[in-house]
Amino acid sequence: MKTLYEEIRHQMHEIGTGTEHCMVLLQRAFMRNSLEPLNACREKLAVFRNAEPELTKKVKELVRKDETKKEYTTVLHHLMGICDDLSELTVPLETKIKERILFSDRAVTEISFLSQNLAELLKATGDLILVKNPILLRYVEESEIMVAKMATDYATQHEERKIEGLCLPVASPLFLKTLEIFKDIARKAKEIASELSR
């Protein structure tokens, strides 16, 4: 039978893997202009939300029994924060799809590139919850730096293109909002890695 500690780590790993799958679904929704994968992501996130109170109770019990495991309180907090960010990401995406807002080829390439990197980052973060591996840890930390830098660079270049009149004004806030959420997700993944490295 699994110990409480193993049970918690496996449940958190499941959520971590689920966030990666959600990122893939949102990328698919973005590329295909389809609400179906977007709704599949929302359903998955709702399952994690429903599991949160019970998991929180288990984590509190674990920490009560073993003070050295208190980082799992913060890990769970950041994991659920990533779920919130993914949920928030569905909003501009739904607007883009429903209102048939076109992004420039460059914006599509940039969002696609960062989505792919974030999916890989989330997978590594989920795996890190199960296996505290220094290589995974370094990968998560370096990926966060790269995602944050690229998202900031893309936002700056986008503003320049907007000034030159190369972007649709209606697409601009959706694009910039998406980049901000990407940075938030990567930051929380890095926080999880930092907690687990203590």
Side-chain angles (χ1 to χ4, degrees):
M1 202 175 111
K2 279 182 191 167
T3 64
L4 181 62
Y5 177 51
E6 288 169 335
E7 211 178 291
I8 286 167
R9 280 167 57 230
H10 277 88
Q11 271 187 275
M12 286 187 181
H13 173 257
E14 216 171 274
I15 295 172
T17 305
T19 61
E20 176 218 354
H21 190 225
C22 274
M23 195 70 236
V24 171
L25 286 169
L26 293 180
Q27 185 181 17
R28 197 173 296 156
F30 176 78
M31 295 307 287
R32 297 181 185 165
N33 272 320
S34 167
L35 289 172
E36 207 176 301
L38 184 138
N39 292 329
C41 169
R42 281 181 171 157
E43 284 167 25
K44 197 176 268 291
L45 293 171
V47 170
F48 300 147
R49 267 281 157 240
N50 292 337
E52 184 189 7
E54 186 59 35
L55 188 51
T56 301
K57 219 156 59 177
K58 285 179 185 175
V59 171
K60 280 181 182 167
E61 188 185 331
L62 176 71
V63 174
R64 209 169 37 249
K65 288 179 180 175
D66 184 355
E67 264 289 306
T68 65
K69 303 280 190 282
K70 67 173 184 276
E71 71 268 18
Y72 286 92
T73 306
T74 311
V75 169
L76 179 59
H77 172 74
H78 288 307
L79 208 47
M80 297 320 294
I82 289 171
C83 290
D84 290 342
D85 289 336
L86 288 166
S87 182
E88 196 184 337
L89 194 53
T90 65
V91 179
L93 191 47
E94 184 175 35
T95 303
K96 179 193 178 304
I97 295 164
K98 282 186 172 173
E99 296 179 18
R100 301 185 184 283
I101 296 168
L102 295 176
F103 278 26
S104 69
D105 288 347
R106 185 161 175 183
V108 168
T109 303
E110 291 168 349
I111 294 285
S112 207
F113 174 76
L114 285 178
S115 299
Q116 186 60 46
N117 278 278
L118 268 178
E120 289 163 16
L121 171 62
L122 290 171
K123 181 184 183 344
T125 305
D127 290 346
L128 198 56
I129 292 168
L130 267 193
V131 185
K132 290 184 184 183
N133 176 318
I135 294 165
L136 275 177
L137 182 71
R138 197 165 52 251
Y139 174 78
V140 170
E141 289 170 344
E142 288 171 2
S143 293
E144 185 272 340
I145 292 165
M146 188 277 293
V147 168
K149 185 187 179 325
M150 298 301 282
T152 302
D153 289 351
Y154 290 164
T156 305
Q157 291 161 16
H158 171 76
E159 291 296 352
E160 288 164 5
R161 290 198 305 270
K162 201 166 86 173
I163 291 164
E164 291 167 24
L166 301 172
C167 298
L168 289 173
V170 71
S172 186
L174 302 179
F175 179 74
L176 294 173
K177 180 72 177 160
T178 300
L179 293 179
E180 275 310 306
I181 298 170
F182 281 178
K183 287 199 286 190
D184 287 343
I185 292 170
R187 188 175 38 78
K188 289 181 181 88
K190 185 187 174 190
E191 293 292 338
I192 290 171
S194 299
E195 282 296 324
L196 293 171
S197 70
R198 292 181 204 282

